[in-house]
Each structure stands twice: as C-alpha cells, then as structure tokens.
Amino acid sequence: MGRLWDKYTGTRYPDSGIAPLPTMELREALLAINGQDVPFRIRYAFPKEKADLVAEWRVMKPASGSGVSRRQVELRLKIRMRFVPLQREVRTLDEQVQVTWVGDPPKLAVSRESGSGPAPRVAREWTFEKGPDGRRRKVETFRFDSRDMKDPLRNLVLEAGWTWRGVVYRF
C-alpha cells in the first residue's frame, strides 16, 4: 500500500547519499526561485494557511465574446509547503480554483470550482488560422500546466536531500 499511496500523493524521495540541507537553507533556496524567470511567486505563508511557504500562480485565459456576453476564466494554483525538519520532508498540499467572470468590466463570478489534493492541471486552447501555404492549421493560443510550477519546486527539494510528500487532506 505504501508505494501505491506514494504514487497517488506524488511523494518523491531524494537519492541516497545526498546530505540534507538545513531547514533555513532550503527555505532560502525555494524563495530564491522568485528571482528567476518563473510565472509564479513563492512567499511566506499567512498564519491561517498553516504552512511555511506558499507558491501561487494566477493565470487569466483569453477572454471570449464582448460586452455583456464577455467571459473570462481565471485559473489559480496554490501549493502550500510545510517543513518537517525531524523527518527531513516537505509536506505539500495542492489547491486549484477556477473562476468564470462575465461582463465588461468583469465583475460577476458566474461559476467557481475548487479542489485540493495532488492533481496535475492542464488547460489548453487552440484556434484555426490560415497558414503560409493557405491551408487551415491549428494554433495553440493558451497553455497552462501545473507541472511547470511543481517540478522546479519538487526538484529543488529533492536535490536538497529532503522528501517531497504530497498530502491529500488539509494540514
């Protein structure tokens, strides 16, 4: 059951022989990701979030329609990270929220979906346009993949000699 549960929660273990970094060095290394060319930000958690660090990514899909019928979808992904120094592991909880806004300017939320737990989120949109040869072709106009945020965080934690443990339930 252990390996199956680890696969479900996205738990990964560091390679053997890696000396674990101290907690403060790992925290500073994760915060240093902000300075690089990344579309998300990492910050200290608020007390009500019951975590040490939070990585957030907010993306607005391209709007469709105009005037009153204008619709725009906002995707938010949040990874809450809590350090457990005695076990040298970072416990993580993924939270996803999708909100659909209507109108111009967008003020009214007509639908909202949310969930938590380890689940990759991928959203893509395409349009058809005329290519250089005159034929219709499919062109990607929007792309969002939660792994673009999760992979750098997880890889840094593993390289620091810590375990990345996904949590299904709230901290």
Side-chain angles (χ1 to χ4, degrees):
M1 177 71 178
R3 288 186 186 179
L4 182 61
W5 186 252
D6 284 348
K7 184 174 175 92
Y8 173 71
T9 60
T11 300
R12 301 279 169 80
Y13 299 94
D15 293 332
S16 59
I18 297 177
L21 288 177
T23 307
M24 292 304 291
E25 287 184 32
L26 177 60
R27 181 175 296 147
E28 294 305 317
L30 285 167
L31 288 169
I33 291 177
N34 281 332
Q36 298 172 1
D37 207 14
V38 294
F40 55 88
R41 70 183 192 106
I42 302 170
R43 62 172 172 80
Y44 288 103
F46 300 123
K48 67 179 180 179
E49 290 175 314
K50 298 180 182 173
D52 295 311
L53 294 177
V54 174
E56 290 181 301
W57 193 3
R58 293 180 182 214
V59 176
M60 295 294 277
K61 284 186 175 181
S64 61
S66 63
V68 179
S69 66
R70 182 178 189 268
R71 300 178 76 94
Q72 191 166 22
V73 177
E74 176 186 6
L75 299 172
R76 284 185 275 171
L77 175 64
K78 185 188 289 188
I79 299 177
R80 297 188 324 188
M81 297 175 275
R82 188 171 69 181
F83 298 104
V84 183
L86 294 176
Q87 297 165 346
R88 296 288 188 208
E89 67 182 26
V90 177
R91 294 188 183 161
T92 65
L93 178 67
D94 299 358
E95 297 174 339
Q96 308 92 22
V97 177
Q98 177 175 321
V99 181
T100 304
W101 299 89
V102 173
D104 190 19
K107 292 183 180 177
L108 175 67
V110 293
S111 69
R112 179 182 175 112
E113 299 174 19
S114 64
S116 63
R121 172 81 178 200
V122 178
R124 292 184 178 179
E125 289 184 8
W126 292 272
T127 59
F128 288 98
E129 60 183 44
K130 201 174 198 179
D133 59 354
R135 299 177 70 183
R136 275 181 66 181
R137 63 183 180 133
K138 198 158 109 174
V139 177
E140 189 175 272
T141 57
F142 176 76
R143 182 179 186 279
F144 174 82
D145 191 343
S146 64
R147 292 172 290 197
D148 292 341
M149 179 169 86
K150 191 175 213 171
D151 289 350
L153 299 173
R154 183 182 57 225
N155 292 341
L156 191 132
V157 167
L158 294 175
E159 289 169 5
W162 288 56
T163 301
W164 177 272
R165 183 170 307 280
V167 178
V168 178
Y169 304 106
R170 300 201 183 273
F171 298 144

